[in-house]
Amino acid sequence: MIEASCHCGAVRMEIEAAPAELLDCRCSICRRLGALWSYYAPRQVRITSPEGATFIYKWQDEVLEFHTCRTCGCTTHWAPVDKSHDRMGVNARMMAPEIVAAAKLRVSPGPG
Ligand SMILES: [Zn+2]
């Protein structure tokens, strides 16, 4: 089990395992966020944050919701709008640097 949190600590995540691989996605939003994504099934990630600690950003076809801490501005994770989808993304920048360093980095050009 590993832990991740935003800078101020309002959003904390307990994650089943460290990521083996991270995705540096270059799509229009991820390149702006500077996020490194690790992917999990939602059941593998326990998020403890007060109700309303994050704001949600959705765009275009609104498949994903990006969660950002209202206090410190860190984008912590994304979740599928359709909760039957068994995949979510955790921004590995919220994890300890040694966890990020140990993972294999993959670069995706993204859809634009
Ligand atoms: Zn925060």
Side-chain angles (χ1 to χ4, degrees):
M1 216 262 302
I2 62 161
E3 293 185 347
S5 77
C6 67
H7 190 260
C8 75
V11 183
R12 293 181 187 278
M13 293 174 278
E14 290 176 1
I15 304 160
E16 208 167 86
E21 188 174 85
L22 300 176
L23 184 69
D24 179 359
C25 178
R26 304 283 169 88
C27 85
S28 61
I29 181 162
C30 293
R31 69 173 193 257
R32 287 176 167 85
L33 293 174
L36 283 180
W37 297 113
S38 54
Y39 299 99
Y40 293 94
R43 68 177 177 281
Q44 296 176 292
V45 181
R46 199 167 82 89
I47 300 168
T48 54
S49 61
E51 189 67 35
T54 62
F55 66 84
I56 290 171
Y57 177 64
K58 293 183 279 192
W59 90 105
Q60 285 182 347
D61 49 359
E62 304 205 341
V63 173
L64 304 179
E65 48 188 46
F66 288 79
H67 288 254
T68 298
C69 176
R70 284 185 193 279
T71 303
C72 68
C74 294
T75 297
T76 53
H77 63 289
W78 61 254
V81 172
D82 177 351
K83 298 305 176 199
S84 69
H85 281 270
D86 197 32
R87 190 168 143 99
M88 66 174 290
V90 173
N91 185 357
R93 295 293 190 196
M94 307 301 123
M95 300 172 186
E98 54 271 23
I99 293 174
V100 175
K104 188 170 161 248
L105 189 63
R106 216 155 49 84
V107 176
S108 159

